[in-house]
Amino acid sequence: MILSGKYPAKKIKTQIVEDIKKCKRVPRLVTVSVAPDESTRSYINSQMKVADKLGIEHVHRALGESVSQAELIKIIETYGNDETVDGIMLALPLPSKFEKLEVINAINPEKDVEGITNINLGLLFYERPFFYPCTAEAVMKIIDYYEIDLSGQDVTIIGRSTTVGKPLALMILEKANNGTPTICHTRTTTIQEKVEQSKILVVAAGKHGVITTDMLSENTVVIDVGINFVDGKLVGDVKRDLELEEKKNISITPVPGGVGLVTTALLMSNVVSRCLTK
């Protein structure tokens, strides 16, 4: 079974359109980038197209390599104090000369629509962030949309990033979900065993082929968060065998067309929700 991200994303976007009608002004998202490469520019352009279709103003502030850290932080803080700005995105990765955490934490946490600041990540422990990390939340939205019950279930997460693996584990633990997460990473020596034991698997390692269909037990639900290019083709972290998937009755999100669609929709939803409160 294919767990398409198209349908949960459509549901979120429908609500966005309704919420915008209640806003006193046009919701506004600002993306700040420093010397963005081609892939980053492509990503930002795609976000701008989605924003435009939904009726959200999206401004891209592209800065050159010569900008200093102090100047970058001042620009971010200016947008954070601007009441006409509802959301701030910082394009990552930054050039190596910047102290990443210092720049990220210049974002006003109430406008941190990607949920990446120390404050929002810290508030995850209390189940009360201003915004959840978008990709991790997208995983939860897909699970919810397809009515996959996490309560009492073992959930294995492959990957320990601060954008997916770690925050997702905390979200699965929340009282509303009551799942039991296990995080695996490159030094985990029992990945095969962990994968076999779990009926719900989230793969966010950033490496194609880290999981293969033959590793999965029957009736496993797989959320593939990976984005990789192999021979010019966009693929996930799971090396898929369609025939074996059908034989084992595997439910899996496609790449593309899965988690990414929901992540973008949630990002826009966060911008609009901030606008609604002002």
Side-chain angles (χ1 to χ4, degrees):
M1 177 181 175
I2 299 299
L3 305 175
S4 174
K6 176 181 177 181
Y7 305 108
K10 183 178 180 180
K11 182 178 179 181
I12 294 167
K13 288 178 180 179
T14 298
Q15 186 61 53
I16 288 172
V17 172
E18 292 302 310
D19 287 343
I20 286 178
K21 294 176 183 177
K22 304 172 187 176
C23 291
K24 296 178 182 178
R25 54 176 172 75
V26 176
R28 190 178 185 213
L29 169 64
V30 174
T31 296
V32 179
S33 67
V34 180
D37 59 20
E38 185 177 349
S39 62
T40 300
R41 287 195 298 270
S42 177
Y43 171 72
I44 293 171
N45 287 338
S46 68
Q47 298 283 24
M48 293 180 78
K49 289 177 182 178
V50 173
D52 185 59
K53 287 181 180 179
L54 292 170
I56 297 169
E57 181 186 356
H58 188 178
V59 177
H60 178 202
R61 180 72 180 272
L63 304 169
E65 289 185 4
S66 62
V67 68
S68 69
Q69 177 159 312
E71 290 170 329
L72 176 58
I73 287 175
K74 184 176 180 180
I75 288 168
I76 292 171
E77 289 177 341
T78 298
Y79 286 126
N81 294 325
D82 186 342
E83 283 303 313
T84 69
V85 174
D86 299 295
I88 300 170
M89 275 181 60
L90 176 65
L92 298 173
L94 291 169
S96 58
K97 71 175 184 178
F98 294 102
E99 177 54 50
K100 178 182 172 182
L101 277 179
E102 287 187 22
V103 178
I104 285 175
N105 288 319
I107 300 172
N108 182 336
E110 294 186 31
K111 300 183 182 184
D112 172 27
V113 288
E114 292 187 294
I116 62 174
T117 60
N118 282 358
I119 289 177
N120 275 320
L121 289 175
L123 287 171
L124 268 176
F125 282 87
Y126 299 95
E127 303 182 13
R128 296 184 66 181
F130 292 105
F131 297 109
Y132 286 96
C134 287
T135 306
E137 188 178 11
V139 172
M140 299 301 293
K141 289 292 184 183
I142 289 172
I143 287 172
D144 180 66
Y145 182 84
Y146 288 100
E147 299 181 342
I148 300 163
D149 187 11
L150 295 182
S151 184
Q153 297 295 317
D154 291 323
V155 183
T156 295
I157 303 167
I158 310 296
R160 53 180 170 181
S161 71
T162 54
T163 54
V164 185
K166 291 175 182 176
L168 181 60
L170 291 174
M171 294 166 74
I172 289 169
L173 280 170
E174 288 187 357
K175 292 179 180 178
N177 301 312
N178 288 318
T180 304
T182 297
I183 298 180
C184 297
H185 47 80
T186 54
R187 295 299 179 93
T188 302
T189 59
T190 56
I191 287 182
Q192 176 68 63
E193 179 184 339
K194 302 295 185 186
V195 169
E196 289 178 351
Q197 290 175 348
S198 295
K199 290 298 183 181
I200 303 171
L201 177 68
V202 181
V203 191
K207 182 180 179 182
H208 179 62
V210 67
I211 297 295
T212 55
T213 309
D214 61 287
M215 296 171 66
L216 305 173
S217 301
E218 291 185 357
N219 306 313
T220 300
V221 172
V222 182
I223 311 296
D224 191 345
V225 184
I227 298 177
N228 310 280
F229 284 93
V230 177
D231 298 327
K233 183 180 179 182
L234 181 62
V235 294
D237 283 354
V238 180
K239 187 175 183 180
R240 298 178 61 185
D241 181 329
L242 301 184
E243 185 177 338
L244 191 54
E245 278 180 22
E246 185 175 353
K247 184 178 180 180
K248 288 188 170 185
N249 192 33
I250 303 299
S251 298
I252 187 169
T253 56
V255 179
V259 175
L261 293 177
V262 184
T263 299
T264 298
L266 284 170
L267 174 68
M268 301 303 163
S269 176
N270 289 346
V271 175
V272 175
S273 67
R274 176 57 170 66
C275 185
L276 275 173
T277 63
K278 297 299 175 181

